[in-house]
Amino acid sequence: SDGSIRLHQMTSEYPLMQWNDSTNGQPVIALQWALTRPAVFFVLDASSNIYIWDLLENDMLPVAKQTIPSENVVTMTLLGEPEKNNGLLGIALAKEFGQIDIQYVKKKWASP
């Protein structure tokens, strides 16, 4: 609820990494690891901002931020085929009034 993100290992109750105020204090609505690139994850906050984290490029801050204009985005999920090396990764965004928007991610954050 405060925008903090914690990375845990299954064998410990303490986080390996913790990023406080990672969304400028906005609650985190959804977080999902990229299906095609293990070091990348995506965060959706309550203000309809999507943050892209690439831990191999920068493990302190997100590498990109995209604001989704108009309607509020209420959830997201990632689309891709991890068994294929085509580097295609999409984000399905569910908006407040029932619209679904699908966007493709740049290959540099999708390629294995």
Side-chain angles (χ1 to χ4, degrees):
S1 65
D2 64 357
S4 297
I5 298 171
R6 294 172 193 87
L7 176 65
H8 284 267
Q9 185 175 354
M10 296 297 287
T11 58
S12 175
E13 65 182 281
Y14 301 104
L16 295 172
M17 296 280 298
Q18 180 168 326
W19 300 277
N20 294 321
D21 199 31
S22 63
T23 58
N24 297 318
Q26 290 295 314
V28 172
I29 302 299
L31 186 150
Q32 190 170 355
W33 287 99
L35 301 170
T36 56
R37 188 174 172 103
V40 174
F41 63 92
F42 297 78
V43 176
L44 171 67
D45 74 11
S47 294
S48 298
N49 296 304
I50 296 174
Y51 301 84
I52 302 172
W53 291 76
D54 184 344
L55 299 179
L56 296 178
E57 186 176 328
N58 187 341
D59 65 356
M60 299 304 293
L61 298 169
V63 294
K65 175 184 172 184
Q66 178 69 46
T67 301
I68 307 300
S70 66
E71 290 182 49
N72 287 338
V73 178
V74 295
T75 193
M76 73 170 183
T77 192
L78 297 178
L79 311 167
E81 298 176 288
E83 63 279 356
K84 292 186 178 177
N85 288 332
N86 59 13
L88 289 177
L89 181 65
I91 302 176
L93 305 169
K95 296 186 175 183
E96 187 174 29
F97 296 110
Q99 290 180 318
I100 303 292
D101 188 15
I102 297 177
Q103 299 184 7
Y104 286 98
V105 175
K106 288 183 179 181
K107 284 198 182 272
K108 71 179 186 176
W109 296 312
S111 297

